[in-house]
Amino acid sequence: MLRQTPPLEATEAFLVAARTPSFRAAAAAMALSPSAFSRRIQLLEAFLDAPLFDRSGARAVLTDTGRSYLAAIQPAVEAIRLASAEIRKPVRDSIRIATSHSLAAEWILPRLGLVQREFGLGVELIVSRDRRTLREGEVDLAIWGAIEPEPGGGEMLVALDAVPVAAPCLADGRSPPTDIRSLLDYPLLDVRSPPESWRRWLQVTGCPAEVPQPDGVYETNQLAYEAAGAGLGIALAIPLLTNRYMKNGHLLPCASAPAPTGMAYWIHHATSAARRNGKARSFVEWLKDEAAATKADFFALASRSFLT
């Protein structure tokens, strides 16, 4: 029986030659010698009994027949490529999470390898506080900090206590404060969202003095902690975001033990079906356990003082 289709290696060589500037470049792209590459093109032309390239000029260019053949076979070859890639790739579920830059960088990203190993989940992080990402199905979960959950409810990931933190020596040469009253004589660093973190925290701790305006307001918690580490003032450290800073001594607790902020990180699901999904449900419960362990570690770190 006569062969009805050309050898695939000859067809592959033709496709590479059609999108590269020269046969020599095409041969290099396929890790072939120029002569071996030319033989593949000649094999295809012989099979078709038609010239596919005009070689009369400085470089080979497609003939009219070559252009027609390219247009005809490209969709079929692309279909073969996609089907092969689909079979070869490992089957793995994925989950998309909207959250803040600071939580993504400090707490979620360092755990992604473990998530992939334990749950077989690929995780895509989207830095966003836009509720439309949930409503329009752009993400499966959202983890946002707030006093109350978003409309429609949410699951509490972890309640947030806070402790003032500072560099071991501030930029102006002073040592950090050792009590709440002296704390107010130092520059206070805050974040734009949620606003007035210092006011709420100081009210909880019973500070009778009028709360001064923050000396620096930053777009993210991470920026505020970097500024505090540079000695620019005092920041409020919360669990999950500051464990690393306190472990390496970049920031140390001062002036008070941790106190509630009235804030929490909340987990929101895009749909009720997503909330009930078995693998996603296990993942969320694991996140809660990890957050509880991280908060316990935070309290242990916050018990240290400048006097020890």
Side-chain angles (χ1 to χ4, degrees):
M1 181 177 178
L2 293 177
R3 184 169 187 164
Q4 300 297 306
T5 58
L8 284 175
E9 62 268 21
T11 305
E12 182 185 19
F14 169 69
L15 291 171
V16 173
R19 61 174 180 261
T20 49
S22 68
F23 276 12
R24 183 173 295 277
M30 295 187 67
L32 294 171
S33 67
S35 58
F37 182 84
S38 292
R39 283 194 295 272
R40 292 194 181 187
I41 298 297
Q42 291 165 5
L43 176 64
L44 181 61
E45 290 178 323
F47 180 89
L48 297 172
D49 193 24
L52 300 174
F53 291 92
D54 180 354
R55 300 171 176 80
S56 62
R59 55 182 292 270
V61 295
L62 285 168
T63 62
D64 289 343
T65 300
R67 284 191 290 271
S68 297
Y69 187 61
L70 176 65
I73 70 170
Q74 264 186 326
V77 173
E78 180 64 11
I80 292 171
R81 185 190 69 78
L82 290 174
S84 301
E86 187 65 28
I87 291 173
R88 291 179 62 190
K89 74 179 182 180
V91 177
R92 188 178 72 192
D93 294 330
S94 63
I95 192 164
R96 294 163 296 173
I97 302 175
T99 191
S100 68
H101 177 276
S102 297
L103 188 65
E106 288 296 330
W107 193 70
I108 300 178
L109 277 173
R111 288 165 171 76
L112 289 192
L114 182 58
V115 170
Q116 291 172 0
R117 292 192 300 272
E118 293 294 318
F119 297 94
L121 278 173
V123 177
E124 179 184 353
L125 294 174
I126 298 173
V127 176
S128 174
R129 186 59 195 258
D130 190 341
R131 185 163 179 81
R132 286 178 299 178
T133 58
L134 275 174
R135 188 170 60 247
E136 297 176 6
E138 295 178 23
V139 298
D140 305 294
L141 293 177
I143 305 176
W144 292 321
I147 297 174
E148 299 288 343
E150 296 287 319
E155 298 179 62
M156 184 183 290
L157 174 65
V158 64
L160 298 176
D161 293 67
V163 64
V165 290
C169 180
L170 274 73
D172 60 10
R174 286 187 292 172
S175 297
T178 57
D179 58 70
I180 292 179
R181 287 185 178 276
S182 60
L183 173 69
L184 300 181
D185 295 328
Y186 288 75
L188 301 183
L189 310 180
D190 211 342
V191 290
R192 194 170 303 282
S193 180
E196 300 188 316
S197 298
W198 275 109
R199 181 184 61 78
R200 290 195 306 275
W201 185 84
L202 287 166
Q203 285 177 345
V204 169
T205 57
C207 180
E210 182 178 348
V211 181
Q213 288 295 315
D215 294 86
V217 178
Y218 294 85
E219 290 295 330
T220 68
N221 282 284
Q222 202 172 35
L223 284 175
Y225 299 141
E226 290 294 338
L232 301 184
I234 315 298
L236 277 175
I238 58 175
L240 282 59
L241 301 190
T242 52
N243 292 46
R244 175 177 65 88
Y245 290 95
M246 292 198 288
K247 279 182 180 177
N248 63 23
H250 196 58
L251 291 174
L252 296 177
C254 62
S256 170
T261 64
M263 300 278 295
Y265 277 121
W266 300 88
I267 299 173
H268 303 276
H269 300 265
T271 64
S272 57
R275 184 190 297 269
R276 294 191 302 269
N277 177 275
K279 185 169 285 191
R281 184 72 255 159
S282 297
F283 173 60
V284 166
E285 293 304 318
W286 178 83
L287 282 177
K288 292 179 180 179
D289 290 341
E290 281 289 295
T294 308
K295 182 174 178 178
D297 183 48
F298 170 84
F299 268 81
L301 292 165
S303 67
R304 302 185 314 188
S305 75
F306 289 98
L307 303 179
T308 60

